[in-house]
Amino acid sequence: MVISKVKLYSLMYGLLAFLLSLYIAPFYVNGDQFHYRGMWDSCFFGSMSNEAQRHCYSSSIGSSEPIYYYIVRLAQEFFNKDLFISAINGILFYLIAALSLREYQAVWHRHIFLLLVLSNYYIMVLMFAAERLKFAFLFLLCAAFFSKKLLKGIFALITILTHSQMLILVAAFLTQIVLYAKIALYKKIGLLFAGVAGLSATIFVLRNHILAKYESVSGMDETDIGIMGALKASVFIVFAAISTRRFQPLIFGSPLILSSYVLGSGRIIIMIFFLYIGYVLSVKKKMDLLMLASLLFCTYKSIDFVKNILTTGSGYL
């Protein structure tokens, strides 16, 4: 059996991400990981009832979204946490590489692009700190990777049930797809109504968690919320519009910017960063100088984050 270059390169980058994670992950024992490790080690004893396990899970990491709970509940019975998460990081970057190489022109600097993506700050946060968001991105990438519409829809729903803030990104994507689809107007309206109904049902299921998240923003840094949060979030959206000379990024990026104003920019900027990369690649089929400069800056920004993990046990001081 002959393996295509795209699959081979994707496997190589996935393996590189796995090995990098396997080295760094054991050092991350404080900050976010203090709570995730505590939940992994303490919440799933066989003598505990299902209700007690769910309560321990929710109180440990401040989350009630169901998908990550069931993943951890199953995985902790068979795997060491660092090994399991490193494997997930490897799969995550395999999908990033495969989707990027699918769009990128077959030129030498596509490997420079992928190395810069692997080493950038937002990937480091996703791999080592933002654990639930990582799994949500994994499912979102699966939705993009598979061609069947049913699988795309299933993975999109799982994405939202894994991390409620991904609801914003999925809604932005679906709105973009429907608005620019070459179908009759009544079908567009029907799809939009169906989408609103589905999103409303998801919000209802996750309503308590979403309300808790909204209430928690009162303790955020002032530079991450309000006008400053929205300005931070808008940078990559504006970069996407400049690079492609199109207004679409401003259209489907506006819900993310508004959400940054209300909920804070911390995790939402990660979504916007990958939206920026994905959209520019889909249009230009390569990185331009603006993206190169952005990736170089984000790689430089990751140096202190990794140093902090290795020296203090947390990426954030």
Side-chain angles (χ1 to χ4, degrees):
M1 185 174 107
V2 178
I3 300 178
S4 69
K5 283 187 176 181
V6 168
K7 287 184 179 178
L8 180 60
Y9 289 146
S10 301
L11 285 170
M12 289 171 59
Y13 284 111
L15 178 61
L16 181 60
F18 168 73
L19 294 174
L20 179 68
S21 178
L22 202 58
Y23 174 72
I24 295 176
F27 288 94
Y28 209 133
V29 294
N30 297 316
D32 293 331
Q33 284 302 315
F34 176 82
H35 303 287
Y36 281 111
R37 289 179 184 276
M39 176 269 297
W40 183 283
D41 294 333
S42 306
C43 292
F44 300 102
F45 292 114
S47 58
M48 297 173 67
S49 66
N50 288 336
E51 184 179 347
Q53 290 180 5
R54 287 298 299 266
H55 176 73
C56 180
Y57 165 84
S58 299
S59 60
S60 294
I61 63 173
S63 169
S64 58
E65 293 124 330
I67 300 298
Y68 180 72
Y69 166 77
Y70 288 111
I71 291 172
V72 173
R73 184 178 176 182
L74 178 63
Q76 59 85 34
E77 293 186 15
F78 303 100
F79 302 104
N80 166 270
K81 182 180 186 299
D82 293 323
L83 178 62
F84 175 69
I85 292 301
S86 295
I88 294 299
N89 286 336
I91 297 169
L92 178 77
F93 206 79
Y94 168 84
L95 291 170
I96 291 173
L99 290 167
S100 298
L101 292 171
R102 184 187 294 179
E103 296 291 337
Y104 212 108
Q105 293 177 1
V107 290
W108 65 270
H109 51 76
R110 59 183 177 167
H111 297 293
I112 301 296
F113 164 79
L114 283 170
L115 289 172
L116 287 174
V117 171
L118 177 58
S119 61
N120 89 79
Y121 172 75
Y122 296 108
I123 275 285
M124 292 294 145
V125 172
L126 206 57
M127 288 173 67
F128 301 115
E131 198 155 295
R132 285 182 303 111
L133 187 60
K134 181 210 338 279
F135 279 90
F137 262 103
L138 179 69
F139 295 126
L140 184 64
L141 290 171
C142 287
F145 184 79
F146 293 107
S147 57
K148 291 186 177 180
K149 292 181 180 179
L150 178 61
L151 285 176
K152 287 182 179 292
I154 291 172
F155 278 116
L157 178 59
I158 294 173
T159 296
I160 297 169
L161 293 174
T162 305
H163 199 294
S164 59
Q165 286 189 11
M166 294 295 281
L167 179 71
I168 308 161
L169 186 57
V170 171
F173 268 123
L174 293 178
T175 302
Q176 166 76 2
I177 291 169
V178 171
L179 288 177
Y180 289 93
K182 295 180 180 180
I183 57 176
L185 179 60
Y186 77 92
K187 290 184 178 180
K188 288 187 178 183
I189 294 173
L191 286 171
L192 287 173
F193 272 110
V196 169
L199 292 174
S200 299
T202 305
I203 291 172
F204 178 79
V205 171
L206 298 174
R207 63 191 183 282
N208 292 331
H209 176 71
I210 292 172
L211 286 172
K213 283 290 185 184
Y214 181 78
E215 291 171 0
S216 71
V217 301
S218 59
M220 280 189 179
D221 190 314
E222 292 182 358
T223 62
D224 285 331
I225 197 168
I227 295 295
M228 288 303 299
L231 287 174
K232 282 183 178 182
S234 66
V235 172
F236 289 124
I237 296 293
V238 173
F239 283 0
I242 292 172
S243 291
T244 60
R245 299 182 182 180
R246 296 184 180 186
F247 287 103
Q248 284 94 329
L250 302 178
I251 296 172
F252 59 73
S254 55
L256 293 161
I257 296 172
L258 179 61
S259 300
S260 296
Y261 179 88
V262 177
L263 299 174
S265 61
R267 294 294 187 254
I268 293 176
I269 285 184
I270 300 176
M271 304 179 200
I272 293 174
F273 175 77
F274 287 102
L275 182 65
Y276 161 58
I277 287 177
Y279 185 76
V280 172
L281 281 190
S282 70
V283 174
K284 303 191 75 171
K285 307 300 180 183
K286 61 181 180 179
M287 67 175 172
D288 56 11
L289 289 176
L290 184 56
M291 183 182 288
L292 175 61
S294 300
L295 289 173
L296 285 170
F297 173 76
C298 291
T299 295
Y300 172 75
K301 189 177 178 182
S302 73
I303 295 173
D304 283 340
F305 184 78
V306 174
K307 279 184 179 179
N308 291 340
I309 294 174
L310 299 177
T311 56
T312 69
S314 174
Y316 305 103
L317 294 180

